[in-house]
């Protein structure tokens, strides 16, 4: 390897990368050199930079454009005896094209740990199972190539922040008007029991909603689920495709039996905020939010009731309360009774578009 020679041609590639940056393209540059034979000197037969944005062409990587130029210059798609110098490790598309062109050697600057096909992720250029292999030399002027890329993406992020528009109110939460039929169908006092908070490290600024029903005084009913004595606190966790009114009938029975009852909307459901990335929703995250919220309410013991589909989440919440908050809790799996007084279609009110259904799409939520 002649390092001075490699540096010389890589500097030409870097100049191409700078042109890409000036055009708003990811700064990658490439040159193809026809190696001299006998008295003939090496000569650059192609020089190009990234242009997928400008050309509206997903294949317009610097390497691909340089290959096209070189093939035209030599009048042959086979580029025997040629070397490619590129500022960033080639991707799989470009690596395969380099093999088709029979490029003898590839020299790159910065490694690409996410998509590099010259050894970082896969090694297409050196895979012995293929019918051709290409010599590879990486790390030539790597710091300069990496600095150019880092500076470009830093500038892009800064510009994005400066031009970013605040999220609309309905981006994360359903407009209040969607819930008007619910409050109209319920007796007086229910809307006053509606509570929200954005406090707590686990919520990270998201709005969390619940209904907080205080106990009434008549004696307990024998039709209630097996439960401790009057005066205990219940939290009822709705199913993965529902929201708090699922528990309306049972909550009324429990409060008449003298229990405090909390009906939360899990994040992504009901009146709570709805992050739009399904991967946000994990069992661990939902359980941590619920446990931190319950700890802050000051009850000495919690009875956690869950719909059968949410038994795993209920177990996670109980374990989190016991292990991380030193708070006694027990679990009960309960079929939610049907409440006949709610208007038809109430299950769908919180989800006016598909973006609000990320939690439903993600279920069953992974444990971590």
């Amino acid at each position: 390897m002649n390092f001075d020679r490699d540096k010389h041609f890589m500097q030409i590639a870097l100049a191409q990368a700078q042109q890409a940056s000036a055009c708003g393209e990811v700064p990658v540059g490439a040159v193809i050199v026809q190696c001299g034979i006998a008295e003939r000197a090496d000569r650059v037969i192609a020089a190009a930079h990234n242009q997928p944005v400008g050309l509206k062409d997903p294949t317009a990587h610097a390497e691909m454009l340089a290959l096209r130029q070189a093939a035209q210059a030599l009048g042959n798609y086979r580029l025997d005896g040629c070397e490619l110098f590129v500022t960033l490790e080639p991707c799989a598309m470009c690596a395969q094209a380099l093999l088709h062109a029979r490029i003898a050697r590839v020299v790159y600057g910065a490694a690409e740990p996410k998509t590099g096909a010259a050894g970082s992720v896969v090694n297409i250029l050196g895979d012995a199972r293929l019918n051709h292999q290409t010599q590879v030399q990486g790390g030539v002027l790597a710091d300069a190539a990496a600095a150019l890329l880092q500076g470009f993406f830093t500038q892009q992020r800064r510009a994005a922040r400066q031009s970013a528009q605040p999220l609309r109110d309905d981006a994360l939460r359903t407009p209040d008007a969607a819930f008007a039929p619910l409050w109209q169908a319920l007796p007086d006092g229910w809307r006053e029991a509606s509570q929200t908070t954005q406090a707590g490290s686990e919520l990270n600024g998201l709005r969390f909603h619940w209904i907080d029903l205080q106990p009434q005084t008549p004696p307990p009913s024998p039709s209630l689920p097996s439960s401790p004595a009057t005066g205990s606190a219940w939290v009822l966790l709705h199913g993965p495709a529902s929201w708090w009114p699922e528990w309306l009938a049972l909550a009324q029975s429990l409060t008449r039996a003298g229990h405090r009852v909390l009906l939360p909307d899990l994040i992504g459901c009901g009146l709570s905020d709805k992050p739009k990335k399904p991967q946000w929703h994990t069992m661990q995250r939902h359980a941590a939010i619920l446990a931190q919220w319950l700890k802050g309410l000051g009850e000495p013991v919690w009875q956690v009731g869950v719909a059968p589909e949410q038994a795993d989440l209920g177990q996670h919440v109980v374990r989190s309360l016991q292990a991380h908050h030193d708070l006694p809790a027990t679990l009960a799996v309960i079929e939610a009774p049907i409440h006949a007084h709610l208007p038809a279609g109430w299950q769908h009110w919180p989800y006016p578009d598909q973006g609000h259904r990320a939690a439903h799409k993600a279920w069953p939520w992974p444990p971590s």
Side-chain angles (χ1 to χ4, degrees):
M1 181 184 77
N2 185 327
F3 186 67
D4 289 337
R5 173 182 177 276
D6 287 352
K7 280 179 57 179
H8 169 72
F9 291 120
M10 188 61 73
Q11 285 167 344
I12 300 174
L14 283 167
Q16 286 289 321
Q18 289 166 347
Q19 290 184 41
S21 182
C23 298
E25 304 274 2
V26 175
V28 179
V31 298
I32 293 178
V33 175
Q34 186 180 39
C35 301
I37 301 174
E39 300 299 321
R40 292 169 54 189
D42 297 337
R43 69 185 183 110
V44 174
I45 59 172
H49 58 74
N50 266 7
Q51 295 189 69
V53 177
L55 295 180
K56 300 178 178 62
D57 179 358
T59 72
H61 289 194
E63 302 97 312
M64 300 293 285
L65 297 178
L67 285 171
R68 292 167 189 162
Q69 287 181 29
Q72 290 297 313
L74 297 183
N76 194 335
Y77 79 94
R78 288 287 175 86
L79 304 177
D80 295 315
C82 293
E83 298 181 0
L84 174 104
F85 295 80
V86 62
T87 58
L88 183 66
E89 181 181 358
C91 69
M93 174 184 71
C94 295
Q96 190 63 61
L98 292 167
L99 292 182
H100 284 309
R102 296 300 191 264
I103 290 288
R105 181 168 176 256
V106 171
V107 180
Y108 69 83
E112 173 48 274
K114 294 183 178 179
T115 61
S120 290
V121 178
V122 293
N123 188 11
I124 291 175
L125 295 175
D127 194 327
R129 295 170 297 179
L130 301 176
N131 65 341
H132 180 72
Q133 291 79 45
T134 294
Q135 294 181 33
V136 175
Q137 176 64 52
V140 176
L141 299 184
D143 290 344
L148 193 57
L149 287 160
Q150 290 166 0
F152 174 81
F153 287 115
T154 297
Q155 185 177 16
Q156 292 289 99
R157 288 191 292 269
R158 185 182 300 118
R161 287 194 296 269
Q162 291 172 349
S163 62
Q165 298 296 318
L167 284 175
R168 302 192 320 270
D169 286 344
D170 62 351
L172 284 175
R173 62 189 62 148
T174 305
D176 290 342
F179 302 106
L182 172 72
W183 305 124
Q184 293 168 4
L186 294 176
D188 292 341
W190 278 85
R191 192 159 192 172
E192 287 70 21
S194 176
Q195 307 287 328
T196 63
T197 185
Q198 292 177 263
S201 57
E202 299 295 346
L203 280 172
N204 195 27
L206 292 172
R207 185 181 78 172
F208 180 75
H209 171 267
W210 73 99
I211 299 292
D212 193 340
L213 301 175
Q214 297 303 312
Q216 301 177 32
T217 53
S221 165
S223 63
L224 292 178
S226 177
S227 66
T230 299
S232 61
W234 280 83
V235 58
L236 301 176
L237 306 182
H238 60 73
S242 189
W243 54 304
W244 76 260
E246 178 179 44
W247 294 113
L248 187 54
L250 178 59
Q252 291 173 317
S253 297
L254 285 169
T255 56
R256 287 195 296 268
H259 302 285
R260 181 188 182 187
V261 181
L262 274 68
L263 309 176
D265 283 321
L266 303 179
I267 292 294
C269 303
L271 283 86
S272 290
D273 280 351
K274 302 172 180 66
K276 296 197 173 182
K277 292 185 177 180
Q279 60 267 34
W280 186 95
H281 296 277
T282 66
M283 197 78 71
Q284 184 182 57
R285 176 171 276 158
H286 279 282
I289 288 171
L290 290 165
Q292 187 177 69
W293 164 67
L294 291 171
K295 174 65 175 178
L297 294 175
E299 291 285 351
V301 179
W302 283 104
Q303 314 300 320
V304 180
V306 297
E309 309 95 312
Q310 292 290 46
D312 287 345
L313 176 61
Q315 291 171 355
H316 273 73
V317 172
V318 168
R319 286 198 296 266
S320 185
L321 286 170
Q322 294 170 344
H324 302 301
H325 300 286
D326 196 26
L327 195 59
T330 57
L331 178 67
V333 178
I334 309 165
E335 286 283 357
I338 296 175
H339 196 280
H341 302 297
L342 288 176
W346 65 268
Q347 298 95 331
H348 306 294
W349 292 342
Y351 316 109
D353 61 57
Q354 290 300 310
H356 287 111
R357 293 186 180 272
H360 300 175
K361 294 175 183 177
W363 196 87
W365 303 319
S368 61

